[in-house]
């Protein structure tokens, strides 16, 4: 793996850079050409121009003067508004291109590195015919290079009144398809699933290939250190849940239906180029006049998240590790304050081990009765306080369970014996090195393996009283794996995350607990919202930075919400701590308190001790921190009625609970650049403090009057949006509600009743 990193550095030093190697989110793609694929329309057949009706859309082919290709343009518009272009090619330039390529993929744990060598490229294009085939319209012609022709088709077909499918296809062995179309310099691009560093992706190239997000992701020196030790640094585009979908400020939206590796090149201001590692690119163009309409159209396809059960929306989910006595001790402390607690999340219910990364779990999904003695008594005591238990599971099974003295089952051995694990090319279990141990993945394409894994969940998690769990991982299926069904891992890699969420959903349904259980995923793809009950943002660094710290959590909340991840939340305080003689990232008291304030305005309010709990400040580390946590558990509980309303709205429309101001103010260009403030539904505005030592924050308030939650002072202007600098001492983050908001006044009344105000 380090060979790839060294090569990048050498290319930079040599000045090859952009011409030879393009950075694609943990993947280095080496092209035999500079920049984007670029070609020309070299011929357009006579009598092909015209406007064609395709469902509720109009597809128009306009030719240049006297039919010359130089002015030819293909476009898509809604029939109701033919002047509003939803998609259009660049006049005179090819819009479909293809190539033959050969990728080399290397893997380090859940991190992937891709080199792609282009062998033959067909960039120039002809349009030989345009014809209706039933309800579809087919544009066909040839892709030309060096006197050789390759046939292509681009077909459009209606899906619904607001969705138009497109399929660009060439013959194998060509296995790279490119779709190039027009953009404007001012157009901003949002979405693409969970994006942590940038909300606006215009000017960047976005890879769509799920993997570990990385440690540091550009924050230095931690990224260099993580790359040097384990190729684990990541970069601004590595994500557990990248999704091939966007919404733009010009009310255009498009997504791919492909599961293969794809990328969206937005680097040039006048165009978009979408690439997929396949001979067939399939996707949909969406029609809507507002961001909310476009999100609604998209989530019709991706699936919408079902309403969360009431129990998890009423209080904190407290993450604790360390055994029965520790859980009861912390529960007793919270009970003194009458803190609203929905659940204790005990991710170490199966036992812990110490590794070079810190404290990790025994990936063998059975209760560790030594670590948690009198488990049933613990559960009963918590039930008396109306507190539930949540646990942890993943599709990984550790291969060294025999080293754990008190194990009763060896799930890896069971799965291996029955052929339930993903295999390597030699037919043996594909072992993935994690830190100090290796693990195998359950083969989710095998119906018997799926049934067995569901039984593990039903027997070991639900059977031990869990009301929910973290359903971790699922982004690390090897690119060269052998799957029971014969499925191609190149296309199943992204799909594996969806299948893992679906398996968890099926297990709860079969147990009769579907409406009551909450499991939360970090990895995902396009249709994960249909199956998952809740998402979290993964493993942020315990820092203030924008690449992998608290700021990246806000960006991740905002971007994912546009791509259907309506219920998204974050580990309070972050997860990844570093404790080495040369490099230390320890969670500070101030960071934890500010992250607590941020999380109180998300859909679920959950703490995590982190991978090195001993060096991280915890909610129970001192009295002041504990009181602060209880205060914001009360704040979270106080807006429960509004939260429940937004949860129902999300299930009906796909709109996220936490959303970017763009959703409600798309005509206000100032909101496009807002990275670190967010709305909760249409009525609350939150600007968390994301820098140390600050006791004030600047917030942009769109046109209208806004009421400051803590002082009831009015801010903003009825005529235009304005920036305001407001006090935000610890304990009073910048929170506003719209003047006249019933939800806002009810929130304040409940805070007064609870003694918070």
């Amino acid at each position: 793996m380090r060979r790839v990193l060294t090569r990048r550095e050498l290319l930079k030093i040599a000045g090859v850079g952009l011409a030879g190697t393009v950075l694609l989110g943990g993947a280095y793609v080496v092209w035999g050409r500079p920049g984007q694929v670029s070609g020309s329309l070299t011929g357009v057949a006579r009598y092909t121009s015209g406007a064609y009706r395709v469902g509720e859309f109009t597809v128009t082919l306009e030719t240049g003067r006297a039919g010359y290709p130089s002015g030819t343009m293909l476009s898509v518009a809604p029939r109701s508004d033919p002047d509003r272009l939803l998609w259009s090619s660049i006049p005179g330039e090819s819009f479909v291109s293809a190539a033959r390529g050969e990728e080399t993929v290397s893997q380090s744990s859940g991190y992937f590195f891709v080199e792609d060598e282009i062998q033959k490229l067909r960039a120039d294009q002809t349009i030989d015919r345009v014809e209706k085939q039933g309800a579809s319209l087919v544009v066909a012609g040839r892709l030309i290079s060096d006197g050789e022709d390759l046939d292509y088709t681009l077909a459009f077909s209606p899906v619904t009144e607001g969705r138009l499918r497109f399929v660009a296809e060439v013959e194998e062995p060509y296995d790279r398809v490119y779709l190039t179309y027009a953009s404007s310099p001012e157009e901003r691009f949002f979405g693409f699933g969970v994006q942590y560093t940038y909300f606006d992706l215009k000017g960047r190239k976005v890879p769509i290939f799920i993997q570990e997000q990385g440690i540091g992701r550009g924050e230095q020196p931690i990224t260099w250190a993580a790359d040097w030790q384990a190729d684990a640094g990541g970069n601004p585009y590595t994500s557990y849940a990248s999704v091939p979908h966007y919404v733009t400020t010009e009310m255009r939206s498009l997504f791919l239906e492909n599961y293969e590796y794809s990328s969206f090149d937005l680097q040039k201001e006048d165009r978009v180029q979408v690439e997929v590692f396949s001979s067939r690119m399939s996707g949909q163009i969406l029609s809507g006049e507002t961001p909310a309409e476009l999100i609604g159209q998209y989530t019709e396809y991706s699936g919408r998240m079902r309403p969360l059960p009431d129990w998890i929306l009423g209080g904190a989910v407290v993450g604790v590790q360390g055994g029965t006595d520790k859980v009861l001790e912390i529960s007793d402390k919270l009970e003194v304050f009458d803190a609203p607690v929905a659940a204790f999340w005990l991710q170490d219910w199966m036992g812990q081990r110490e590794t070079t990364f810190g404290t990790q779990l025994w990936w063998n999904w059975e209760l560790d009765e030594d670590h948690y003695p009198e488990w049933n008594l613990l559960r009963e005591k918590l039930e008396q306080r109306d507190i539930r238990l949540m646990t942890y599971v993943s599709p990984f099974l550790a291969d060294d369970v025999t080293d754990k003295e008190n194990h009763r089952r060896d799930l890896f051995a069971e799965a291996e014996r029955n052929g339930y694990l993903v295999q390597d090319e030699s037919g043996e279990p594909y072992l993935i090195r994690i830190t100090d141990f290796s693990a195998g993945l359950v083969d989710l394409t095998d119906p018997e393996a799926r049934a067995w894994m569901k039984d593990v969940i039903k027997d070991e998690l639900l059977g031990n009283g869990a009301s929910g769990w973290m359903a971790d991982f699922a982004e690390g299926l090897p690119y060269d794996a052998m799957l029971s069904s014969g499925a191609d891992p190149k296309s199943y890699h992204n799909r594996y995350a969806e299948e893992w969420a679906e398996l968890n959903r099926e297990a709860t349904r079969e147990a009769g607990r579907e409406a009551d259980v909450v499991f939360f995923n970090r990895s995902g793809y396009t249709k994960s919202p249909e199956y998952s009950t809740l998402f979290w943002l993964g493993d942020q660094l315990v820092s203030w930075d924008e690449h992998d710290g608290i700021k990246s959590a806000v960006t991740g909340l905002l971007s994912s919400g546009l791509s259907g991840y309506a219920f998204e939340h974050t580990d309070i305080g972050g997860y990844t701590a570093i404790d080495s003689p040369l490099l230390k990232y320890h969670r500070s008291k101030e960071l934890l308190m500010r992250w607590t304030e941020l999380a109180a305005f998300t859909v679920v309010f959950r703490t995590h001790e982190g991978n090195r709990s001993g060096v991280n400040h915890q909610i129970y580390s001192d009295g002041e921190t504990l009181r602060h946590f209880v205060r914001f558990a009360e704040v979270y509980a106080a807006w429960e009625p509004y939260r429940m309303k937004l949860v129902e709205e999300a299930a009906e429309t796909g709109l996220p609970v936490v959303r970017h101001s763009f959703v409600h103010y798309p005509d206000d260009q100032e909101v496009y650049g807002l990275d670190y403030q967010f709305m909760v539904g249409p009525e609350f505005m939150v600007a968390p403090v994301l820098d140390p030592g600050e006791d004030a924050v600047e917030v942009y308030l769109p046109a209208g009057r806004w009421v400051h939650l803590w002082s009831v002072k009015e801010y903003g202007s009825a005529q235009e949006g304005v920036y305001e600098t407001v006090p935000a001492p610890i304990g009073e983050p910048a929170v506003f509600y719209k003047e006249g908001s019933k939800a806002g006044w009810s929130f304040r009344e409940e805070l007064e009743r609870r003694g918070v105000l």
Side-chain angles (χ1 to χ4, degrees):
M1 311 300 177
R2 295 188 188 113
R3 175 184 59 81
V4 179
L5 295 172
T6 303
R7 193 168 189 278
R8 179 192 66 174
E9 298 300 328
L10 290 174
L11 287 169
K12 280 188 175 181
I13 293 170
V16 178
L18 295 177
T21 302
V22 181
L23 176 62
L24 284 181
Y28 297 89
V29 182
V30 180
W31 307 104
R33 54 172 173 77
Q36 293 184 348
V37 170
S38 180
S40 300
L41 281 171
T42 60
V44 180
R46 297 178 64 185
Y47 311 120
T48 54
S49 63
Y52 301 84
R53 177 176 178 176
V54 185
E56 294 303 311
F57 296 84
T58 299
V59 179
T60 303
L61 180 65
E62 302 176 58
T63 55
R65 294 180 181 178
Y68 287 116
S70 59
T72 298
M73 181 180 78
L74 184 70
S75 65
V76 175
R79 290 187 61 242
S80 59
D81 189 1
D83 292 329
R84 186 165 69 90
L85 297 185
L86 305 175
W87 181 95
S88 64
S89 67
I90 300 167
E93 298 192 26
S94 60
F95 45 88
V96 176
S97 303
R100 289 177 60 183
E102 183 176 352
E103 70 270 32
T104 301
V105 180
S106 53
Q107 179 177 0
S108 174
S109 187
Y111 304 92
F112 293 83
F113 303 88
V114 181
E115 290 184 352
D116 191 33
E117 181 181 350
I118 296 301
Q119 298 168 342
K120 287 189 177 181
L121 177 64
R122 299 286 180 264
D124 292 335
Q125 177 185 1
T126 69
I127 299 174
D128 297 342
R129 68 180 193 279
V130 179
E131 59 187 25
K132 290 295 295 289
Q133 294 182 2
S136 300
L137 179 74
V138 177
V139 179
R142 292 160 291 135
L143 305 178
I144 302 171
S145 179
D146 300 327
E148 297 182 14
D149 295 352
L150 172 68
D151 292 337
Y152 78 90
T153 57
L154 175 61
F156 297 95
S157 59
V159 182
T160 67
E161 290 185 0
R163 291 160 45 202
L164 180 71
R165 175 171 285 115
F166 64 90
V167 178
E169 195 163 9
V170 298
E171 296 179 355
E172 294 183 342
Y174 283 82
D175 51 9
R176 304 288 186 271
V177 173
Y178 307 89
L179 187 69
T180 306
Y181 49 97
S183 178
S184 69
E186 300 79 19
E187 189 171 22
R188 307 290 187 90
F189 286 73
F190 310 140
F192 297 107
V194 181
Q195 296 294 323
Y196 299 99
T197 304
Y198 306 111
F199 181 71
D200 174 18
L201 278 301
K202 181 75 169 186
R204 308 185 185 280
K205 189 169 184 178
V206 186
I208 306 298
F209 188 77
I210 65 172
Q211 58 179 299
E212 291 265 5
Q213 70 167 41
I215 301 172
R217 307 182 68 258
E219 171 70 7
Q220 302 300 356
I222 180 60
T223 306
W224 292 331
D227 277 340
W228 175 79
Q229 184 173 8
D231 292 311
N235 63 59
Y237 309 103
T238 43
S239 173
Y240 303 108
S242 51
V243 175
H245 159 261
Y246 65 75
V247 179
T248 84
T249 53
E250 295 187 7
M251 296 307 113
R252 296 195 278 213
S253 185
L254 177 149
F255 68 88
L256 294 184
E257 298 171 322
N258 290 75
Y259 283 91
E260 296 88 354
Y261 185 108
S262 62
S263 67
F264 289 73
D265 192 338
L266 313 173
Q267 294 177 102
K268 293 187 176 182
E269 65 178 16
D270 69 336
R271 68 191 62 199
V272 177
Q273 186 165 96
V274 184
E275 175 192 18
V276 65
F277 281 18
S278 174
S279 61
R280 184 179 189 271
M281 177 189 293
S282 177
Q284 295 186 29
I285 297 166
L286 307 181
S287 176
E289 296 185 358
T290 66
E293 288 182 11
L294 291 171
I295 292 169
Q297 295 288 357
Y298 172 70
T299 56
E300 280 184 359
Y301 174 84
S302 68
R304 294 171 183 157
M305 303 187 73
R306 69 160 171 81
L308 288 162
D310 293 351
W311 66 264
I312 201 168
L313 298 173
V317 177
V318 182
V320 179
Q321 302 178 78
T324 301
D325 290 343
K326 184 177 178 182
V327 174
L328 290 174
E329 177 189 355
I330 295 171
S331 179
D332 289 343
K333 289 181 178 180
L334 293 168
E335 181 73 8
V336 169
F337 292 97
D338 194 24
V341 177
F344 270 82
W345 170 54
L346 313 179
Q347 74 161 9
D348 64 338
W349 70 287
M350 80 303 292
Q352 295 176 313
R353 63 163 84 191
E354 292 299 321
T355 71
T356 54
F357 185 65
T359 300
Q360 290 186 273
L361 308 175
W362 277 104
W363 292 359
N364 188 56
W365 317 121
E366 64 170 359
L367 176 65
D368 188 324
E369 296 176 347
D370 294 336
H371 195 51
Y372 280 96
E374 299 183 314
W375 173 268
N376 289 332
L377 180 61
L378 169 64
R379 189 175 65 185
E380 291 171 6
K381 286 185 176 181
L382 294 177
E383 285 177 355
Q384 291 170 5
R385 297 174 177 177
D386 198 24
I387 297 172
R388 302 204 182 202
L389 278 177
M390 303 182 77
T391 57
Y392 177 102
V393 72
S394 88
F396 273 119
L397 302 173
D399 72 338
D400 61 348
V401 176
T402 54
D403 293 342
K404 188 173 186 285
E405 293 181 358
N406 65 341
H407 76 279
R408 299 181 304 282
R409 296 182 67 177
D410 183 341
L411 295 179
F412 179 91
E414 290 181 30
E416 181 182 26
R417 185 166 59 250
N418 290 287
Y420 294 160
L421 297 173
V422 171
Q423 296 183 347
D424 61 22
E425 293 178 343
S426 67
E428 297 296 321
Y430 203 127
L431 295 181
I432 299 172
R433 193 69 179 171
I434 306 303
T435 52
D436 301 349
F437 64 97
S438 298
L441 274 171
V442 177
D443 187 343
L444 301 185
T445 73
D446 182 346
E448 292 184 5
R450 288 178 72 103
W452 175 81
M453 190 64 201
K454 286 187 287 185
D455 284 342
V456 169
I457 290 173
K458 288 182 282 188
D459 295 343
E460 303 294 345
L461 282 76
L462 292 171
N464 278 300
S467 292
W469 50 84
M470 176 184 280
D472 205 357
F473 289 97
E475 65 284 318
L477 179 72
Y479 205 68
D480 58 348
M482 302 295 290
L483 299 169
S484 170
S485 68
D488 188 344
K490 297 179 181 181
S491 58
Y492 202 78
H493 171 87
N494 286 327
R495 186 170 181 174
Y496 190 94
E498 292 180 355
E499 297 288 342
W500 173 234
E502 184 178 22
L503 183 148
N504 281 266
R505 187 69 167 268
E506 290 172 353
T508 64
R509 183 183 303 128
E510 292 169 10
R513 299 282 305 279
E514 183 179 16
D516 182 55
V517 166
V518 177
F519 61 88
F520 48 105
N521 302 90
R522 71 178 187 185
S523 65
Y525 198 63
T526 301
K527 292 192 173 183
S528 293
E530 180 178 350
Y531 307 117
S532 184
T533 62
L534 176 67
F535 293 99
W536 102 100
L537 290 169
D539 300 344
Q540 278 73 63
L541 196 63
V542 293
S543 74
W544 298 91
D545 77 274
E546 70 272 25
H547 302 287
D548 195 19
I550 188 172
K551 294 184 183 71
S552 73
V554 177
T555 307
L557 285 168
L558 296 176
S559 63
S560 62
L562 296 178
S563 293
Y565 289 51
F567 307 148
E568 184 78 87
H569 75 296
T570 175
D571 293 335
I572 294 175
Y575 170 79
T576 304
I578 306 296
D579 187 45
S580 74
L582 299 178
L583 194 60
K584 295 185 185 297
Y585 283 79
H586 296 173
R587 181 197 291 162
S588 70
K589 178 177 179 177
E590 183 184 7
L591 178 67
L592 178 60
M593 295 175 86
R594 288 305 196 184
W595 214 312
T596 298
E597 295 171 358
L598 159 64
F601 294 94
T602 63
V603 68
V604 168
F605 183 65
R606 180 183 58 82
T607 68
H608 199 317
E609 294 182 330
N611 66 311
R612 294 185 181 273
S613 59
V615 303
N616 282 337
H617 197 82
Q618 305 294 348
I619 64 167
Y620 49 80
S621 291
D622 60 42
E624 182 183 22
T625 309
L626 185 62
R627 289 190 295 274
H628 182 80
F629 172 75
V630 172
R631 172 181 171 83
F632 279 91
E634 295 281 8
V635 170
Y636 172 79
W639 65 278
E640 179 184 4
Y642 183 48
R643 184 163 53 254
M644 294 177 71
K645 178 182 176 182
L646 296 177
V647 164
E648 292 291 339
E649 178 189 60
E652 293 173 2
T653 68
L655 283 172
V657 173
V658 171
R659 56 191 72 161
H660 196 275
S661 302
F662 165 69
V663 172
H664 296 292
Y665 299 94
D667 296 327
D668 184 345
Q669 295 185 19
E670 198 65 33
V671 306
Y672 302 166
L674 299 179
D675 292 326
Y676 302 129
Q677 65 180 71
F678 58 87
M679 297 187 73
V680 182
E683 299 188 46
F684 293 1
M685 183 73 76
V686 181
V689 175
L690 304 176
D691 290 295
E694 298 292 333
D695 59 6
V697 68
E698 185 179 62
V699 58
Y700 180 77
L701 298 173
R705 299 294 289 171
W706 297 81
V707 181
H708 185 241
L709 176 66
W710 311 107
S711 67
V712 204
K713 180 181 177 181
E714 290 190 2
Y715 289 82
S717 165
Q719 288 74 40
E720 61 183 357
V722 296
Y723 284 95
E724 301 272 16
T725 298
V726 298
I730 288 178
E732 294 187 358
V735 180
F736 300 84
Y737 55 87
K738 285 184 177 179
E739 182 183 41
S741 166
K742 182 178 179 181
W745 277 110
S746 297
F747 185 20
R748 265 198 64 89
E749 289 177 354
E750 183 62 16
L751 288 173
E752 291 175 351
R753 189 189 72 79
R754 290 174 176 269
V756 176
L757 292 177

